[in-house]
Amino acid sequence: MHVRNVEVKMSEMPNASVGAKRDPFWDALKFALIFSVVYVHIVPMADYSRYKLAVFNIIVGASMPLFIFISGRFSQIRDRKRYMRSIWRFLETFLVFQILYVVLFEEVSWLNLITPNYHLWYLLSLVFWRLMLYYLPERWLAHRGLVLVACFVISLSAGFINVGEPLSLQRTLTHLPFFMLGYYTAGIDVRKYVDKIPLFVALAALFAVFCLFLFVLQETYSYVIYGSIPYWTDSLSETFYRFLCRCIFLPSTILVALLVMRVVSAYTGYARWGGATLFVYIWHPLLTRGILEPATAHGLIPKSDLALFIYAVVVTALLVFLSRFRVLHLLMNPSDWIRQRAS
């Protein structure tokens, strides 16, 4: 097969919206978020520090909900055939890399095969969310207020049900409100409203949030609010405290998301790399888990806070460059190669 070093068209990429035009603001936001995801997967390689936990907690607690919000915003059904094809492409990418990463990094077992590896839960959850939109009657979706209330109730209730990590069901239920908020606000010019927030206010508020995580909210806080684990503990008071944290987290995340969008809106020069978001998301564990993790663990490379940040920049930049190679995209969706060969 002849492979050319060419830029992949956005319409051919699995993360492109179904029938939607690209917007520099949203592409810039996606790139900023994917860098934070790469960084947060490198931060744990550092020795214990309050800074490490603060960065981990704030990124895990804020970046993925905003990512999911964007996914919901660009999940409008304009062409049902293309929409279903996009769902298949996400599922296909998940299956390919789930098998790959389990073979490379885990013990091969049925439980590991049905439990999304590392970061892949997002793809499987996205498949479930889009299937939900595809099959729900439009007359039900028309009741926006009731649907959103139901989604928040489901999200809060999910913590009382130990669904667990297999098939990403716990996270699918937990993050459902963010997806539907994005879906229902697709027709709103969000940037117009966030730009009304003074930039210095947004920066100061985000710094205050970081200090809150740095000095107050530590340890397992993010795992509870993030939806990775249920509320239940041996202590009833601790269980209620976790539930309360989740209740506070939901509206707080929306406020933090608005602040992040305001900061990103101030400079969208890196929007041209936003089209590589899914590519970076899928491939980065090969570099972070396959190379950086063993290298830092064996002392082959430094693992200071500055060094880890530089690694995140290098990994992201390298993957953005590699996203130009079409063969790597075909590995994400082998059915494309099969169709091309058939035609």
Side-chain angles (χ1 to χ4, degrees):
M1 180 177 62
H2 180 60
V3 179
R4 295 177 297 167
N5 178 10
V6 296
E7 194 81 32
V8 179
K9 294 180 181 179
M10 293 303 179
S11 60
E12 297 173 347
M13 296 185 63
N15 65 323
S17 307
V18 182
K21 294 181 179 179
R22 305 198 74 93
D23 184 302
F25 169 68
W26 295 106
D27 274 341
L29 182 58
K30 287 196 295 182
F31 181 77
L33 292 173
I34 195 57
F35 172 77
S36 71
V37 169
V38 173
Y39 183 43
V40 83
H41 286 158
I42 294 177
V43 163
M45 301 175 195
D47 295 327
Y48 173 85
S49 70
R50 297 187 70 88
Y51 169 80
K52 167 186 171 179
L53 286 176
V55 169
F56 183 83
N57 283 338
I58 193 171
I59 292 180
V60 167
S63 63
M64 285 312 300
L66 186 49
F67 240 133
I68 293 164
F69 171 85
I70 297 173
S71 299
R73 182 180 177 88
F74 292 103
S75 290
Q76 306 299 312
I77 303 178
R78 294 179 171 84
D79 183 314
R80 295 187 69 84
K81 184 177 180 180
R82 288 185 62 194
Y83 193 84
M84 183 55 75
R85 182 171 173 237
S86 75
I87 294 174
W88 157 246
R89 288 171 66 83
F90 283 120
L91 181 59
E92 180 184 30
T93 301
F94 167 78
L95 292 174
V96 169
F97 284 85
Q98 173 69 4
I99 294 172
L100 174 64
Y101 287 142
V102 167
V103 171
L104 289 179
F105 302 123
E106 311 291 346
E107 178 183 347
V108 178
S109 67
W110 282 112
L111 180 60
N112 285 334
L113 285 173
I114 66 172
T115 301
N117 188 260
Y118 199 53
H119 63 311
L120 293 177
W121 67 267
Y122 163 73
L123 285 183
L124 191 55
S125 292
L126 186 56
V127 168
F128 290 145
W129 291 324
R130 286 202 168 192
L131 282 173
M132 175 193 69
L133 289 179
Y134 187 86
Y135 286 109
L136 277 181
E138 291 187 10
R139 64 180 183 276
W140 290 13
L141 292 173
H143 299 285
R144 300 188 176 195
L146 289 176
V147 171
L148 287 176
V149 169
C151 289
F152 277 98
V153 171
I154 291 172
S155 177
L156 292 173
S157 302
F160 291 107
I161 308 171
N162 191 10
V163 179
E165 295 185 347
L167 299 179
S168 188
L169 296 179
Q170 191 95 40
R171 286 169 170 167
T172 299
L173 297 175
T174 299
H175 293 300
L176 179 60
F178 303 114
F179 181 81
M180 293 307 297
L181 276 172
Y183 175 76
Y184 281 132
T185 58
I188 299 175
D189 186 356
V190 175
R191 186 178 184 181
K192 180 179 70 174
Y193 293 99
V194 298
D195 281 350
K196 294 181 180 180
I197 304 173
L199 181 59
F200 77 92
V201 171
L203 290 170
L206 287 175
F207 178 74
V209 171
F210 175 76
C211 290
L212 180 66
F213 278 94
L214 182 64
F215 298 112
V216 181
L217 306 176
Q218 291 274 305
E219 302 302 332
T220 59
Y221 179 80
S222 65
Y223 288 105
V224 176
I225 63 176
Y226 187 47
S228 302
I229 60 177
Y231 308 136
W232 290 115
T233 66
D234 293 334
S235 169
L236 183 60
S237 60
E238 177 65 18
T239 299
F240 177 75
Y241 172 73
R242 291 183 172 192
F243 170 71
L244 183 61
C245 287
R246 181 69 191 168
C247 292
I248 297 173
F249 165 74
L250 285 175
S252 300
T253 297
I254 297 173
L255 294 177
V256 172
L258 292 174
L259 297 174
V260 171
M261 286 190 281
R262 175 62 186 97
V263 173
V264 171
S265 177
Y267 179 69
T268 58
Y270 40 86
R272 60 185 180 276
W273 303 315
T277 300
L278 183 65
F279 184 92
V280 175
Y281 189 81
I282 294 300
W283 287 99
H284 79 271
L286 284 179
L287 301 178
T288 57
R289 298 184 70 187
I291 299 176
L292 293 179
E293 190 173 300
T296 54
H298 292 86
L300 300 178
I301 56 176
K303 55 180 179 178
S304 65
D305 293 332
L306 177 59
L308 295 179
F309 183 83
I310 293 174
Y311 300 156
V313 173
V314 172
V315 167
T316 305
L318 176 60
L319 289 173
V320 168
F321 170 74
L322 292 177
S323 69
R324 296 172 56 90
F325 293 89
R326 184 173 178 79
V327 64
L328 296 178
H329 289 272
L330 292 177
L331 290 175
M332 294 168 62
N333 291 100
S335 62
D336 289 350
W337 180 82
I338 295 174
R339 281 197 302 270
Q340 289 180 9
R341 296 284 293 183
S343 61

